[in-house]
């Protein structure tokens, strides 16, 4: 995964396309262009005997340039960053800020691709992709673009999900002041939640939740444990980023089901394996503390 900063200063996580998938997409596009060139040559060859050779050569050069440069430019401009190869592999070209690729950017990529692939056999593209952390070839560097994967990866780890009891409250959160450092600390805490002892879970959670609450309003409802509070904040932040990114890409996110009424106690962070159960006598539930306006109110 990689992060792009949109024009609204919103950090959005995207999945950068890997080199094998990009290489296969390029091979498909080059093969398509080669087939088109062969077909054009066969069609024009039928008229070579009845037309002027200079005219034949001029038309052939014009159509060749149109196929080699116009093919990627037209496809990426009209299909929002997809050529046939990228469509087959689930890839897309976007701007460095996550916006849809523009005609100017597609033109830069097409001109650079003529040099990289057809004149220099792909060597500059390979070297630039290996050097760049985002796998950019020269065309991407000149155009200010990046190739991402549209296909969602399989969920292999813990997923930060919205606690159902806090879904309604989270929609009213003001998150514009939340710094990335605080959000990253909360994300790392949730990722290691089940690896911590109960005392460390509580103490570290209260400390991180208090730091996050300094930039988030309104205050958490009474009795919300730290892990549930942080899960709600991060899940809502990610949901809003996905909505902004989808609006820029011209796609529509599936509608979310309305949150149900709060019910039941707060469990561990959603998506995490349950901890080992221990047999113990139930302890009386403590009285929930009152929320402090403008800050996080940890449970006692």
């Amino acid at each position: 995964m990689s992060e792009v900063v949109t024009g609204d200063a919103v950090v959005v996580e995207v999945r950068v396309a890997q080199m094998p998938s990009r290489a296969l997409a390029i091979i498909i596009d080059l093969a398509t262009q080669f087939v088109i060139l062969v077909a054009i040559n066969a069609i024009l060859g039928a008229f070579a005997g009845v037309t002027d050779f200079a005219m034949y050569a001029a038309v052939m050069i014009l159509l060749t340039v149109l196929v080699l440069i116009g093919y990627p430019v037209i496809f990426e401009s009209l299909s929002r960053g997809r050529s046939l190869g990228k469509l087959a592999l689930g890839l897309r070209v976007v701007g460095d800020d996550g916006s849809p690729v523009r005609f100017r950017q597609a033109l830069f990529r097409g001109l650079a691709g003529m040099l990289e692939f057809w004149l220099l056999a792909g060597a500059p593209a390979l070297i630039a992709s290996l050097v760049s952390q985002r796998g950019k070839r020269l065309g991407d560097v000149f155009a200010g673009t990046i190739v991402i994967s549209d296909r969602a990866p399989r969920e292999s780890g813990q997923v930060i999900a919205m606690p159902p009891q806090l879904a309604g409250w989270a929609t009213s959160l003001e998150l514009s002041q939340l710094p990335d450092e605080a959000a990253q600390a909360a994300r790392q805490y949730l990722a290691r939640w089940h690896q911590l002892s109960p005392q460390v879970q509580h103490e570290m959670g209260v400390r991180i939740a208090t730091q996050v609450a300094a930039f988030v309003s309104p205050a958490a409802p009474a009795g919300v444990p730290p892990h549930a509070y942080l899960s709600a904040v991060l899940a809502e932040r990610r949901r809003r980023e996905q909505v902004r990114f989808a609006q820029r890409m011209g796609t529509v996110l599936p509608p979310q089901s309305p949150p149900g009424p709060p019910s039941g106690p707060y469990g561990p962070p959603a998506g995490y394996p349950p901890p080992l159960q221990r047999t113990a006598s139930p302890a009386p539930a403590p009285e929930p503390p009152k929320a402090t306006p403008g800050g996080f109110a940890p449970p006692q």
Side-chain angles (χ1 to χ4, degrees):
M1 299 291 289
S2 180
E3 293 183 344
V4 299
V5 181
T6 68
D8 299 327
V10 177
V11 179
V12 179
E13 288 186 351
V14 296
R15 188 186 183 196
V16 178
Q18 301 299 313
M19 183 175 292
S21 59
R22 290 193 62 179
L24 184 56
I26 291 173
I27 292 175
I28 294 175
D29 289 330
L30 295 180
T32 302
Q33 291 172 285
F34 180 76
V35 171
I36 295 175
L37 289 176
V38 171
I40 290 176
N41 186 55
I43 294 174
L44 293 181
F47 299 94
V50 296
T51 187
D52 182 70
F53 178 77
M55 179 65 69
Y56 167 80
V59 174
M60 189 63 190
I61 293 175
L62 177 62
L63 292 179
T64 300
V65 173
L66 182 62
V67 171
L68 298 185
I69 299 179
Y71 168 87
V73 173
I74 294 174
F75 267 96
E76 292 180 0
S77 298
L78 298 181
S79 62
R80 292 183 175 270
R82 292 192 182 103
S83 60
L84 292 181
K86 293 180 178 62
L87 184 62
L89 273 297
L91 308 181
R92 182 198 295 267
V93 181
V94 298
D96 284 336
D97 60 351
S99 61
V101 64
R102 301 178 178 88
F103 174 79
R104 173 181 56 82
Q105 294 172 315
L107 181 59
F108 272 109
R109 283 176 50 83
L111 293 174
M114 177 75 176
L115 174 66
E116 292 179 275
F117 301 119
W118 294 102
L119 298 183
L120 299 178
L126 177 61
I127 296 174
S129 298
L130 293 175
V131 172
S132 173
Q133 294 182 349
R134 292 185 169 186
K136 288 190 173 189
R137 63 177 179 87
L138 294 182
D140 293 314
V141 175
F142 295 150
T145 56
I146 184 175
V147 180
I148 65 174
S149 176
D150 270 348
R151 295 176 181 173
R154 295 179 180 177
E155 300 293 344
S156 56
Q158 291 89 2
V159 178
I160 299 177
M162 174 66 69
Q165 300 93 331
L166 300 178
W169 164 79
T171 57
S172 64
L173 290 177
E174 171 56 44
L175 303 175
S176 60
Q177 303 300 320
L178 180 61
D180 295 334
E181 293 78 9
Q184 182 63 23
R187 189 176 296 108
Q188 292 175 354
Y189 162 74
L190 293 176
R192 301 188 314 161
W193 192 82
H194 276 298
Q195 301 174 6
L196 307 175
S197 63
Q199 181 179 358
V200 176
Q201 284 179 356
H202 177 76
E203 293 178 353
M204 183 179 294
V206 170
R207 177 173 56 84
I208 297 177
T210 303
Q211 294 175 353
V212 171
F215 305 96
V216 176
S217 61
V224 176
H227 66 78
Y229 173 78
L230 295 174
S231 296
V233 171
L234 295 183
E236 178 65 17
R237 185 172 186 255
R238 182 175 181 84
R239 184 192 68 81
R240 296 181 187 182
E241 291 170 353
Q242 290 176 340
V243 169
R244 293 190 183 97
F245 187 68
Q247 291 174 348
R248 284 181 171 271
M249 301 303 298
T251 57
V252 179
L253 292 177
Q256 292 187 334
S257 57
S263 61
Y266 295 96
Y272 291 78
L276 295 177
Q277 300 294 332
R278 298 179 180 179
T279 304
S281 58
E287 295 182 359
K290 297 181 180 180
T292 303
F296 173 70
Q300 301 294 330

